[in-house]
Amino acid sequence: MSLAKFNREIAEIRADRVRGASELARRCLSILAEAARALPAKDAATLRERLLHLAAELAKTRPSMAPVQNLLHRWREESSIDAGTDLAAARQLAAARATALIVASRRAVADCATHAARLLGAGRTIMTHSLSSTVLEVCRLLESDGLRAIITESRPLEEGRQLAERLSTWGVPTVYITDAQMGLFVARADAVLVGADSVLADGAVLNKAGTYLLALAARERGIPFYVCCESFKRCGTDASSPKLEEMASSELGVPNWPGVTVRNIYFDITPAALVSAWIDETGVRWPDVER
Amino acid sequence: MSLAKFNREIAEIRADRVRGASELARRCLSILAEAARALPAKDAATLRERLLHLAAELAKTRPSMAPVQNLLHRWREESSIDAGTDLAAARQLAAARATALIVASRRAVADCATHAARLLGAGRTIMTHSLSSTVLEVCRLLESDGLRAIITESRPLEEGRQLAERLSTWGVPTVYITDAQMGLFVARADAVLVGADSVLADGAVLNKAGTYLLALAARERGIPFYVCCESFKRCGTDASSPKLEEMASSELGVPNWPGVTVRNIYFDITPAALVSAWIDETGVRWPDVER
């Protein structure tokens, strides 16, 4: 496998608007595993250098996504290759660590969803925004338990369409609305449940733009606002104000009016004070514990 | 002119998704003026009956829009035709009253905009949602005064595009965002300024869906939230909870997924507590006076 191919894959991850943060983090690990096995290297030291370079490039692709940072960091910590190691053994170690983290990430998502499903219980209407693979898993767990859903289109790319399609397949009665109607519909839900791209050190939640508006409306109408994501999404305490990724303005599909700047910031930050509870693979964390 | 033509015009007003409440109210009056001049009638009593029937039909077209109700009500009050009146004089009176109300409505909008422009002052960044002809007039008044604007696309029909085009023509530096990004951008504005389709008796504001979310975000970030509309938009004290018009779900442009209900409610209600001030043709009304 050539470096050119890895560069293509890095570019793909950078441009990906469909997959969530956890999935992209696992994709990074899977690229590292492949690189560990296949990158040309004359000895363990060269392999180590090349893999660290690749990991650094991967980390730069999605600065707003904590799991990408966290899982790559964990991989670096657990895969330190001694210069004296045999090349084959070094390849084996680095690849195995990446694979183990992929498994851990998948298990964390599944455990998260189990805790969230238990917290919500049967016969509930949940409202969500954007498409989170964790929230999707919660819906799958509750689909035969009388779940109902209120979902948003989630401009500009309308990930809500994929969610609507999946919920339709599962037979979950679903209401599909524009993002602007969130304030009209939140009071019809028993709870809001969103995923997260990152959870900051103070419990604030970085998620698809619009999440903050939904959280404000939920608080105003007395509806609990739950955030469900595995702990790989938590940023370290040293995280300063995070960079919010901005995507191509062409995604809004409007003409180029002179003097008009089209903005397309993908994420917003919901302060911890608006979060009723955080759910991760270890269980439910209520604010008293959190703050 | 035939009744069939009036029925077509009534249908057009019912289906209109482009013009605002004031403009549609004036359109109703202009239809009445035309009907007063041209509807076949053997005497004043018949004309009166036909015009009242037409006015009632027009009032039913847009139940969420107070100016449609208010201006038609004013017209009925001011155009009472005595059965003994000469037919030509009756036609003249009814048409003249409609025309006078059109002029009064236009003047009220212009006066409103003048008060709002004075309140905002020079060199400000205003944020708005949807397209209000009154807000547009405020922008026109302030365009050479260093005005900057942050505007939303306003799904599903994206009236924000028309506003962007106009602001571009006037050379007003403008930021154009998805509705979901309102929470990200509101703190960059000096004030939020929206129009209204109706203002309820308690000061709550019925406006394009999403306005409530913007008001919540404005309060959270300490940005004043001004509502600018002429007093013809105020509902009487007897107004119970207003009907929120729902339009065709096809406007969202999504497939027909089994089990998924696509909702397209056009308006939401922003409680008076979220409004910093109401501006009408008489001036600025602050909450202490209002509540």
Side-chain angles (χ1 to χ4, degrees):
Chain A
M1 172 181 268
S2 67
L3 265 172
K5 177 162 183 283
F6 286 118
N7 286 335
R8 271 201 307 280
E9 293 194 337
I10 286 172
E12 268 174 37
I13 289 175
R14 190 177 290 119
D16 197 306
R17 301 291 169 268
V18 176
R19 286 183 285 189
S22 298
E23 211 175 331
L24 286 175
R26 290 193 295 269
R27 181 76 197 116
C28 289
L29 289 168
S30 132
I31 290 171
L32 277 175
E34 201 182 339
R37 285 185 218 102
L39 262 190
K42 65 178 191 315
D43 53 27
T46 318
L47 178 73
R48 177 173 169 273
E49 192 185 322
R50 295 191 149 189
L51 287 178
L52 287 176
H53 177 75
L54 178 60
E57 290 300 307
L58 287 167
K60 275 189 260 173
T61 54
R62 306 308 293 260
S64 301
M65 293 180 170
V68 171
Q69 310 304 319
N70 288 341
L71 284 166
L72 289 171
H73 180 75
R74 278 277 292 272
W75 176 84
R76 279 195 303 272
E77 276 191 334
E78 295 175 2
S79 315
S80 60
I81 298 168
D82 199 59
T85 315
D86 168 65
L87 177 60
R91 288 191 186 279
Q92 167 67 21
L93 170 77
R97 287 290 181 264
T99 308
L101 284 169
I102 291 172
V103 171
S105 159
R106 285 227 176 81
R107 183 172 305 145
V109 170
D111 289 351
C112 241
T114 305
H115 288 297
R118 200 173 296 151
L119 174 67
L120 292 167
R124 303 294 177 175
T125 298
I126 67 155
M127 183 161 176
T128 193
H129 178 57
S130 187
L131 174 62
S132 147
S133 53
T134 319
V135 171
L136 197 61
E137 178 61 15
V138 175
C139 293
R140 200 189 59 75
L141 292 174
L142 292 173
E143 55 145 321
S144 56
D145 255 345
L147 177 73
R148 291 171 173 272
I150 302 169
I151 68 175
T152 58
E153 56 181 8
S154 307
R155 288 276 293 158
L157 291 193
E158 302 174 15
E159 295 89 346
R161 288 170 177 242
Q162 294 170 60
L163 182 54
E165 204 174 303
R166 199 72 75 90
L167 293 172
S168 173
T169 308
W170 292 339
V172 174
T174 297
V175 168
Y176 181 92
I177 59 172
T178 54
D179 303 334
Q181 289 176 88
M182 288 192 299
L184 280 161
F185 280 87
V186 67
R188 305 183 192 192
D190 295 305
V192 173
L193 181 72
V194 294
D197 291 87
S198 304
V199 175
L200 308 188
D202 69 350
V205 175
L206 196 152
N207 196 43
K208 185 74 186 287
T211 302
Y212 172 51
L213 297 172
L214 181 53
L216 286 172
R219 181 184 60 181
E220 196 70 7
R221 307 304 296 267
I223 307 299
F225 181 89
Y226 298 131
V227 177
C228 175
C229 69
E230 69 280 18
S231 59
F232 287 122
K233 286 190 169 160
R234 296 187 76 88
C235 294
T237 45
D238 58 336
S240 54
S241 68
K243 179 171 157 40
L244 299 176
E245 293 181 28
E246 181 153 9
M247 307 306 176
S249 61
S250 59
E251 288 182 358
L252 272 72
V254 292
N256 187 10
W257 301 289
V260 177
T261 310
V262 177
R263 300 295 304 268
N264 187 19
I265 300 179
Y266 251 49
F267 302 102
D268 63 20
I269 294 176
T270 300
L274 296 175
V275 178
S276 307
W278 296 257
I279 304 154
D280 69 13
E281 69 274 20
T282 67
V284 181
R285 302 152 64 101
W286 299 95
D288 285 348
V289 180
E290 183 72 25
R291 281 174 249 165
Chain B
M1 173 182 267
S2 67
L3 265 172
K5 178 163 182 288
F6 287 117
N7 286 334
R8 272 200 306 281
E9 293 195 335
I10 286 173
E12 267 174 39
I13 289 176
R14 189 177 291 119
D16 197 307
R17 301 290 167 270
V18 176
R19 287 182 284 190
S22 299
E23 211 174 332
L24 286 176
R26 290 194 294 271
R27 181 76 199 116
C28 288
L29 289 168
S30 134
I31 291 170
L32 277 175
E34 200 182 341
R37 286 185 216 104
L39 264 188
K42 65 179 191 316
D43 54 27
T46 317
L47 179 72
R48 175 174 169 273
E49 191 185 323
R50 293 190 151 188
L51 287 177
L52 286 175
H53 176 75
L54 178 59
E57 289 300 307
L58 286 166
K60 274 189 260 173
T61 55
R62 304 307 293 259
S64 300
M65 295 180 169
V68 172
Q69 309 305 318
N70 288 341
L71 285 166
L72 289 171
H73 180 76
R74 279 279 288 274
W75 176 85
R76 277 194 304 271
E77 275 191 336
E78 296 174 2
S79 316
S80 61
I81 299 169
D82 199 61
T85 316
D86 168 65
L87 177 60
R91 288 191 186 280
Q92 169 66 20
L93 169 79
R97 286 290 181 265
T99 307
L101 284 169
I102 290 172
V103 172
S105 158
R106 284 227 177 80
R107 181 171 305 144
V109 170
D111 290 350
C112 241
T114 305
H115 289 296
R118 199 172 297 151
L119 175 67
L120 291 166
R124 303 293 179 176
T125 299
I126 66 154
M127 183 162 177
T128 193
H129 177 58
S130 188
L131 174 62
S132 147
S133 52
T134 319
V135 171
L136 196 63
E137 179 60 14
V138 176
C139 293
R140 199 188 61 74
L141 292 174
L142 292 173
E143 55 146 319
S144 57
D145 255 345
L147 177 72
R148 293 172 171 269
I150 303 169
I151 69 175
T152 58
E153 57 181 5
S154 307
R155 288 275 294 158
L157 290 195
E158 300 173 18
E159 294 90 346
R161 289 171 176 243
Q162 294 170 62
L163 182 53
E165 205 174 303
R166 200 71 77 88
L167 292 171
S168 173
T169 307
W170 293 339
V172 174
T174 297
V175 168
Y176 180 93
I177 59 172
T178 54
D179 302 334
Q181 288 176 89
M182 289 191 298
L184 280 161
F185 281 87
V186 68
R188 306 183 191 193
D190 295 303
V192 173
L193 181 72
V194 295
D197 290 88
S198 304
V199 175
L200 309 188
D202 68 351
V205 175
L206 195 152
N207 197 43
K208 185 75 184 285
T211 303
Y212 172 51
L213 297 171
L214 181 54
L216 286 172
R219 180 182 62 182
E220 196 71 7
R221 308 303 296 267
I223 308 301
F225 181 90
Y226 299 131
V227 177
C228 176
C229 69
E230 70 279 18
S231 60
F232 287 123
K233 286 189 169 161
R234 297 187 74 88
C235 295
T237 45
D238 58 336
S240 54
S241 67
K243 179 173 157 36
L244 298 176
E245 292 181 28
E246 181 152 8
M247 306 306 175
S249 60
S250 60
E251 289 182 357
L252 271 72
V254 292
N256 187 11
W257 300 289
V260 177
T261 310
V262 177
R263 300 296 302 270
N264 186 20
I265 300 179
Y266 252 48
F267 303 103
D268 64 21
I269 295 176
T270 300
L274 296 175
V275 179
S276 308
W278 295 257
I279 304 153
D280 69 14
E281 69 275 18
T282 67
V284 181
R285 301 151 65 100
W286 299 96
D288 287 347
V289 180
E290 182 72 25
R291 279 172 249 161

